[in-house]
Amino acid sequence: MPSTLQLNHVSVPVTAVAIAHLGSRILLLVGEGCQLKVLDNESNGVLHSLQVFQSQSVHGIKCQWEAEQGHLVCLIWGGRATTILHMRLDISDSCTVCLTEELPTDDWISDTCLLNNFKKVNNDQSSFPQAVLLTSHNVLYSLISDSSPQPQVPGRLSCKSVAAGPTSVLYSAHVVVLASGEALIAAGTVFGEVLIWSCNLSSHHNDSDAAACASLLHTFRGHEGSVFGVTITETASKVDRGLNTCMVASCSDDRQIKIWDLSSSSGGSAKVKVQTGFRLQPSERDIKSEKCLASVMGHSSRIWGLRFLSKSGEAPRWLSFGEDSTCQTWQLVKNLAHATSISTSKQQSYEIQHDESFAYHIGKDVWAVAVDLQKVEVSLILTGGADGRIVSYSIPNADVHRWTAHIPIHQKSAVKSQSNLHEIPTNILSQSLSPAERAFSAIQGHWNLYRVLESAIPTYPSGIFSGVATLTQRPPTDDSYDAEYLYVEEGELTTRQGLAMRGSRRYVYRYQRASRSITTWFVKTDTIASVDYLFHQVSFSDVPYQITKDEFLSNNYISTAKGHHLCVNDNYNAEYEFQYQNTNLIQWDLKYTVKGPKKDYTASASYTRTAEAETSLPKGMNAVEERDLVCGREGAASIDNFKNYYWLGRYGVIVTTAQGCVFLGTLDRNNTTRNLLSNTTGATVSRTFSWSLVDRIPELYSYSIAVSVSSHTVILGAANGSLLCYQRSSQEIITFSKLSRKITGLFAGELEGSQEGHRNVAAIACCVSDTTAYYFSFVTDNAILKDVSTFVKLTLPQNFIVTSVCFTPVEHLVVLGSRSGAVCFYDRSLFHLTSPIAACCFIRQVHVDEAITTIQAVPKNGFKAVGNFLLTAGRDGKFALHGVHVRRGDGETNVKLECLHTSIPPFGPNIEGACFDSGTKDLLLWGFRSTDFVVWNETKRMEVMKVPCGGAHRSWAYAPSNDGHNGGVFIWTKASVCNVQAQSKASHRVLQAGGHGREIKAMAICPIRIELGDEYGQLVATGAEDTTIRISFATGVNASSSQPMRCLGVISKHNTGIQQLQWSSDGRLLFSAAGLEEFYVWRIQRIPCLEIGFLCISQCPKVTNSSDLRIMGFDVEPIVADVNSEHDKYAVTMAYSDSTIRIWSFDASASGQGFELLSLGTYKSCSLTHINFLRPNDKLYLLTAGTDGFLAFWPVKDFQAQQGHRSSLPGCSFGQNAESFDRDLKWHYQHRIHQSSIKCLTSLYLSDSEVIVATGGDDNAVAFTRITFNAEFPNLPICSTLLLARAHASTVTGIQDLGPKLNSGQSLRKTSWTFATVGNDQRLKTWILTVDSRTPRAKGLSVRKGTSLHSSIADASCMEMTQGICGDKGIMIAGIGVETWNVTHV
């Protein structure tokens, strides 16, 4: 019975995405290989999936809603093929689709455009164009349907040449068709040009005059690499005050993004003759500068494409995506360096400013991006990458601002009331306001500073100073003034010679309401805050600027002022310019012109609002500045500083200051709830924060430490040893105990027996230079602290500084983690004793020598195991899961800590906290990556929150939402400003998890089936060029799971690409090999919460000092294997890239590396590609294959046969006496099969003495070699080969035996086996091998071809067979992606 193959699951790079609107519903269309998936944006579910091309990957999708006919039209193309899909969705979410026949074209399709508007203009329904196609040779075709499109009737497509642009070869293109029928084409060439041309589709042309109807508008030059992406703004964008223009953006192999102006009507540069190549000649450079608005170097590698984000009339913004697997947003802004330049050149007037980066993919390449701009507030982004991941997220639109009120915090005893300048914008609406008063009220806060220094004297530096300027309000230091700002600027000056230096400057700005004047003052250098002497007065126009309410709300205008200062012989002339937009000061400029005997320079500075400005805070951030913490002592005002933050649940935070003040911050709970319900995109939301002063505690002056006990209680520690408690119900802080020394550590946790409203809580307090930790427990009843019931002293090990604490709920242990990476255990059952309690267990280097930042008890969640499980994480960048085994007896408590799992999340090295989400049971980790705070979902392997806070060295606190939405609230101090970012959901949605971001080079399927939840399946290990190993759970070929293959964990330890993987016969160990002689052994086992744990238990020692030596292949067989035994021994044979072979013995129970070298041999000069153990006739052999196309046989001296167990199948075991192995291996026989390298190999046993070896090579051939071993001549096997030349169109990279089948109607002497092969031609083929047992050698072999199917896996590297629970089989192919096939017999 022949075998048939049916595609079951595909996970390949996502090469096309689109967002479509079906009425009020949003559908997401995704192209993976030949497949098209339709997903619902709300539920993330797959509504429909179908194959649209026979063998071509989908490269692009364009969608259009036909409201009159009530269906969606999708134009799909890839390579030289195109088709049109009509889709209708009923109320039960059932998709009705109709796909036209695949239309092959003569050339590669670069871009397409549907013609809905054009059809309405022409009104020709007999043979109207459905779309236009632009090919890679710059020829425009019309795509014509032979009938009116109906969802139930597939039509036939044809194409006809419409117009031809300039002769060129394109890498990218964008086609826009206007309602008038004019097509505008932007074409990016391989030689770095951007060609803009157009044609009129309304007139009909023959093929002969197609080129004549095209009109070349522009030729843009300037890229120094092939243009990979171009996009045209389909609507005009605003690039200056009142100036709207149409633009094109381009990206190139040179990593540059350029913006070009299309507003001019003439393309004069098109007529200039240039040389072929990327570099511009000197005479050609004026062409580039005339057209290019701005240019920027973007991404860390090549940029693949661009998408505009701006709507009509908005400032131009766009999104780029590239090889570095990131998406980045940009905007076109005024070039501050040329703000005062006399030149009016657009190239000088604008620059490209980077906004934000989104790194939601892994590995390399984001291939596809779709943007939906229909929502007012946010833009929906859909991306797909080489990792097969599909991600959606939202970014705020340019015209959307989130405003939050500034709420000042004052101590109740503040001695001096300040002029409330925040009331000035309100007063504007009812009275006239001087320009000085308006400007002074608006400049308060934080600004980005950009200053250009131009000196005519060489001794004075010229360059650019960039940094941040802050104008902080403080009580006036002179009673004659009504308001006062302290101006502080900090930044870096980069001179024209490339020298960089840090710098800062301070002034005082004063405002006098009586004279309506602003003055600027120098600051004393000794105090850096006291006023010294007058710098200059800011003089506005002599005519008072009167502004009415209507003018204020509707007009944008500029206000100017001047100032002068004479410093000895040097004149300082200051020129101010304030730019207002509606009610806001969006920018102000200050230019100093300095003339003197030894000075002649200008300093032109521009100030633009920062994200920390208190008037415009994006992404839900509130700012509370130090100037708002005015705390007085006996009439003397002083500036306070933020010290620490401690969350009370998700909605409240306790803030302590250097002056001993304690504030309560409250996040608006109602606003939060509303956003949780409405924010389906996961975008950060804006919320309101309110503040109140709780009390000022003298004991907390200059130092404090605290810990949150619950959402109502915080315990505080003071420098004098006092322990205080804040209770939210009473809004009071009480002292409940006092220790003898300064408290340096406070830790708290909940004990067993807690119920709603009644909680048992324990805490640990540590003091400076104290070898004792203090344990106390208490009860809270309805958020009210009752009393301290237990107070115990715990003796700490020597030099043990506590950094984390955990109270285990089962074995009643207290676990302490230290700054040096050690842990110790205390038995709580002994806490009734009055004497100090010593640690019952002390373990060093749990996290090497780095601090353990968190210890958590791991919930079992139905996991059947005895004992406790602990999670630890530290500043070594790792987290680990441990099993805790406790044995009590004879008055002693013995604790054993067994590490079950370690992993390194993709951030760090600082992991600062962890929790298990009570809603989803997911493991969340958080910490710092460079200057960002990151929250990582380890269970789903995705980043859920990122905050650019400046890094770990600051006061901060994080509270996870713990509701299953992956949200949370983060509060931190940056530049003396308290910032809060609240997030109700994850920053993005992963619609499809995908896999490796690089090519998969190795795959191994565990031979033992396991049960995870309600599903049975096999563990699949895949290794790729990204140096990682992914452990996935495959549910089987006939399973109905929505995730046929889901990732359970990622192993990151190898430093080079993975070469081979192999499981042990019992499925408990995984062996991995890579370059640099890296060979690791991993213990794989079930663990709670994360399901599968992996731990590296050994590494094979290196045999040379060469860093280039690579392990090309290996094979593993058990020496002693007992499922119920923990003492496993294995024989491991390895083939190295220097043609050497080694056999090692490995003891999994050994305390050291466990490897011992047994044998060594050397092959010829060519490299080996495969090595396997063979055991025919109770004799042991090594079978090798190499790049010379030969099989080689290496006899190995075996031990006594009766000491080991043998089997006629390859899974036999070695004996127990490993010392009898030969230490000098030599090959005795060779057999030529392929012309060159053997790429894949598998074997099957016909009998004890006969083996079939099936191979595939890079000569495109498949070979079946029949090997017979003669007992009289064991070292001279008889080999005979049946070769199938040209079995594939390219290299055969995978071959697999699908099992034997008895031929019906024939005798038992003939048996058939089915083999499957796959190659780089992306064909999956089956072969039926028939063996006549009575006919020797190759004469007894016959092969006939079975099926031949297209595989979506490019660069396939390996193929393995899966086994279902009912004996059903499947094939899994890996390369650039993974796909599985069902194997059925008919």
Side-chain angles (χ1 to χ4, degrees), residues 428-430 547-554:
I428 284 179
L429 304 181
S430 59
I547 176 172
T548 65
K549 175 179 179 181
D550 293 336
E551 289 174 335
F552 176 76
L553 293 177
S554 60

Side-chain angles (χ1 to χ4, degrees), residues 1188-1205:
D1188 56 356
F1190 281 85
L1191 292 179
F1193 299 86
W1194 307 63
V1196 178
K1197 290 183 181 179
D1198 202 0
F1199 35 80
Q1200 297 178 4
Q1202 63 270 19
Q1203 288 184 339
H1205 171 72

Side-chain angles (χ1 to χ4, degrees), residues 945-962:
M945 187 177 185
K946 184 179 75 171
V947 182
C949 64
H953 301 290
R954 64 196 63 253
S955 297
W956 63 274
Y958 174 69
S961 61
N962 209 24

Side-chain angles (χ1 to χ4, degrees), residues 975-997:
S976 301
V977 176
C978 170
N979 303 272
V980 181
Q981 178 162 322
Q983 187 169 295
S984 62
K985 288 180 180 287
S987 58
H988 62 287
R989 293 184 300 161
V990 177
L991 309 180
Q992 180 173 289
H996 290 277

Side-chain angles (χ1 to χ4, degrees), residues 645-658:
Y645 308 100
Y646 308 96
W647 283 103
L648 294 167
R650 293 170 52 193
Y651 305 105
V653 61
I654 288 293
V655 182
T656 61
T657 74

